[in-house]
Amino acid sequence: MAASIKRKPLWLGLALLGALLLVATIGLYQLGNGQDNGEPQGGPIAMPSTQGDFSLTQLGDDDIAIVSFGYTYCPDVCPMNQAVKRQALAQLSDEQRERVVPVMITVDPERDTLARMSEYMQFFGSEFIGLVGSQTQLADVAERYGVIWRRVEAPESAMAYTIDHSASLFLVNREGEILQRVLYSPTPHGLVSALGSELDS
C-alpha cells in the first residue's frame, strides 16, 4: 500500500511532463508556421475583378490596398465599410489618394457575379474594385487573412441565405504584407489614422 502511494506522484509527474512536451511541440509547430500569436499572415491576392484580373503585385511600391471582405446582399456592415473607405479617401490629399486602392473580396461568389459587383462598386466610386474568386480561392485568402465567414440559411427571406463574416479592414502592400488591421467602425477615424501613419512613413 505504501509503495503504491509513492508511485502515484511519480506516475502523475511523468504524465505531466509528457503533456508539457506535447504542448511545447505543438507550440513550436505553430511558431514555424507563423501561427503562434493568432495574427493573420496575409500574402498574395490574385482574383478576377471588376476591373480585369487583379493582383496585389499590380500596386506600385508605395501603394496601399484597403482590403475588406463582404458581399453585395449584405444589409448593413458591408455598405458601411465601403462608405468608411470613401470617407477616409476624401480626407487624404490628392497625392495620397492616388496611392490607395479600395478593394472588396466577396464571400458570396455563388451570387456575386462580376457584373453585380461592378454595379455595387460604382455606388462608392470608380476607383473601388470588387474581387470575385472561386470558393477555393476565397477559402485560401480568407484563411491567410484570418477572415471567418459562414452561410446562414434564411428560408423565410427572399434572399434565401445571409452570410456572417469578419468585417476588419486590412492595409496591405504589393507583397501582401499586412501593414495594419483596422477594426470595423461606422466612422472613418481609425482608417484615416492608419492610412496617415502608413502613407507618411
Side-chain angles (χ1 to χ4, degrees), residues 3-196:
S4 65
I5 292 173
K6 289 179 181 178
R7 285 195 196 101
K8 190 172 182 182
L10 177 62
W11 178 84
L12 287 174
L14 290 173
L16 180 59
L17 179 61
L20 289 173
L21 286 172
L22 178 61
V23 170
T25 302
I26 293 171
L28 286 172
Y29 174 81
Q30 291 178 332
L31 182 62
N33 284 277
Q35 298 173 346
D36 58 307
N37 57 6
E39 289 298 312
Q41 301 170 26
I45 296 175
M47 294 181 185
S49 87
T50 53
Q51 298 186 19
D53 287 341
F54 174 87
S55 172
L56 287 176
T57 58
Q58 296 168 355
L59 300 178
D61 290 337
D62 297 324
D63 291 350
I64 295 173
I66 311 173
V67 178
S68 65
F69 292 75
Y71 67 114
T72 63
Y73 287 88
C74 178
D76 41 32
V77 172
C78 305
M80 182 63 72
N81 253 346
Q82 307 319 303
V84 163
K85 291 181 193 176
R86 182 176 60 188
Q87 293 164 13
L89 290 172
Q91 296 187 40
L92 302 178
S93 67
D94 291 342
E95 182 181 353
Q96 289 177 322
R97 194 157 50 245
E98 289 177 0
R99 293 170 52 197
V100 180
V101 180
V103 174
M104 185 180 101
I105 300 173
T106 183
V107 294
D108 187 15
E110 181 178 331
R111 292 184 297 196
D112 283 343
T113 63
L114 284 173
R116 181 174 175 84
M117 283 286 280
S118 181
E119 183 179 355
Y120 185 79
M121 293 291 103
Q122 289 300 316
F123 283 117
F124 305 100
S126 59
E127 70 272 38
F128 279 67
I129 302 176
L131 273 58
V132 181
S134 65
Q135 289 286 0
T136 300
Q137 288 174 314
L138 171 61
D140 171 56
V141 173
E143 180 180 4
R144 288 188 282 107
Y145 280 77
V147 172
I148 299 171
W149 86 99
R150 67 183 183 94
R151 175 170 166 154
V152 179
E153 300 298 331
E156 305 294 324
S157 168
M159 288 195 300
Y161 66 89
T162 61
I163 298 179
D164 290 344
H165 60 90
S166 307
S168 293
L169 304 173
F170 300 90
L171 303 190
V172 185
N173 63 17
R174 69 189 311 273
E175 284 81 32
E177 177 188 2
I178 298 175
L179 306 174
Q180 292 199 44
R181 178 169 58 173
V182 182
L183 298 180
Y184 171 76
S185 171
T187 67
H189 308 308
L191 181 57
V192 170
S193 177
L195 284 169

